[in-house]
Amino acid sequence: MADSGEGPRIEVTIAAPVETVWQALRDPRLIRRWHGWDFDGLDEEVQSIYLTGVTEDATAHVLEVGGSDRFSLHSSGEGTVVRLTRAPIGTFPEWDAYYDDITEGWYTFLHQLRFGLERHGLAERRTVFIEGTLEEPGVLVDALGLREVATLPPGSPYKAETAAGGELSGQVWASSPYQLLLTVEQFGDGLAVLAQQPHAAHRPEGGVLAVLTTYGLDDPAFTKVESRWTAWWERHRVVPDDDVIDPGTPPA
């Protein structure tokens, strides 16, 4: 991740032709196979971000979304460089409080795009999503038992026993000051995004986020992954006040 005069710049190089990557950014049926995670509003989110009110130049392979953030695709010897340049903070003051969150989100999404294309040709996926605050203040990778893995450079193989999902193995896909992305053999050659969310006015205690992307798992295997991780999270998260069920007045 680099900083330009305009705003933060994020670049990934994808081992695929420019036209293939461009199609992955323009076809909503393909976007939903790499962007974010599964939830009921995913199709609407894809439409809102990538298709509504965007400016595109299909010849130059340039796409501007939300009137601010700019994708540009560049052919290279290794495939396609995808460059995302953010508009400077202050362009939309009402979103300034979430500026860093959005930047981190783009980092996640671009690496999900790269992974989905390179490793699976944008095949269908299933995901597990976790977000909130750890009950014991700390770093998500530490709580999961992945502190040593987080010190490895991208491309390094790893094998670790995690607190949530048992043994995981694969390679370090990417890392940043706030994120660790790991390929996971046990997810059907899937991807784990483990992120630390910084302290902010809307999140004074900070937070954590995990996106687990799986491929080709049958229902029992996927349910096992989902159950292990959500059970661990339920034991270690802060329960928000609006999650607490009011038992009401006890019967007389």
Side-chain angles (χ1 to χ4, degrees), residues 109-124:
F109 301 153
L110 288 186
H111 280 286
Q112 287 180 313
L113 169 60
R114 177 191 161 212
F115 183 84
L117 266 173
E118 288 188 359
R119 302 288 279 256
H120 294 281
L122 294 185
E124 295 284 356

Side-chain angles (χ1 to χ4, degrees), residues 9 59 61 67 72 90 111 126 132 146 151 169 171 177 222 227-228:
R9 177 183 294 173
T59 302
H61 300 110
S72 60
H111 280 286
R126 287 199 284 185
L146 295 170
T151 67
S169 57
Q171 67 176 181
F222 176 77
S227 298
R228 280 185 168 184

Side-chain angles (χ1 to χ4, degrees), residues 128-130 140 144 146 158 162-168 182 184 186-187 192-194 209-212 214 222-236:
V128 178
F129 175 69
I130 288 169
L140 179 60
L144 289 169
L146 295 170
Y158 79 92
T162 67
E167 183 179 274
L168 300 184
L182 304 172
V184 182
Q186 292 80 1
F187 295 172
V193 178
L194 308 172
L209 177 151
V211 185
L212 314 178
T214 72
F222 176 77
T223 298
K224 183 177 181 180
V225 170
E226 183 178 43
S227 298
R228 280 185 168 184
W229 283 78
T230 54
W232 176 85
W233 179 238
E234 287 301 317
R235 295 193 302 270
H236 292 84

Side-chain angles (χ1 to χ4, degrees), residues 87-136:
I89 191 167
T91 302
F92 298 101
E94 65 274 22
W95 288 98
D96 280 357
Y98 301 92
Y99 190 86
D100 291 340
D101 286 354
I102 295 170
T103 300
E104 290 298 320
W106 281 131
Y107 183 87
T108 298
F109 301 153
L110 288 186
H111 280 286
Q112 287 180 313
L113 169 60
R114 177 191 161 212
F115 183 84
L117 266 173
E118 288 188 359
R119 302 288 279 256
H120 294 281
L122 294 185
E124 295 284 356
R125 62 179 185 170
R126 287 199 284 185
T127 64
V128 178
F129 175 69
I130 288 169
E131 183 180 30
T133 305
L134 285 168
E135 188 173 42
E136 292 291 331

Side-chain angles (χ1 to χ4, degrees), residues 150-166:
T151 67
L152 300 174
S156 301
Y158 79 92
K159 181 182 289 186
E161 191 73 24
T162 67

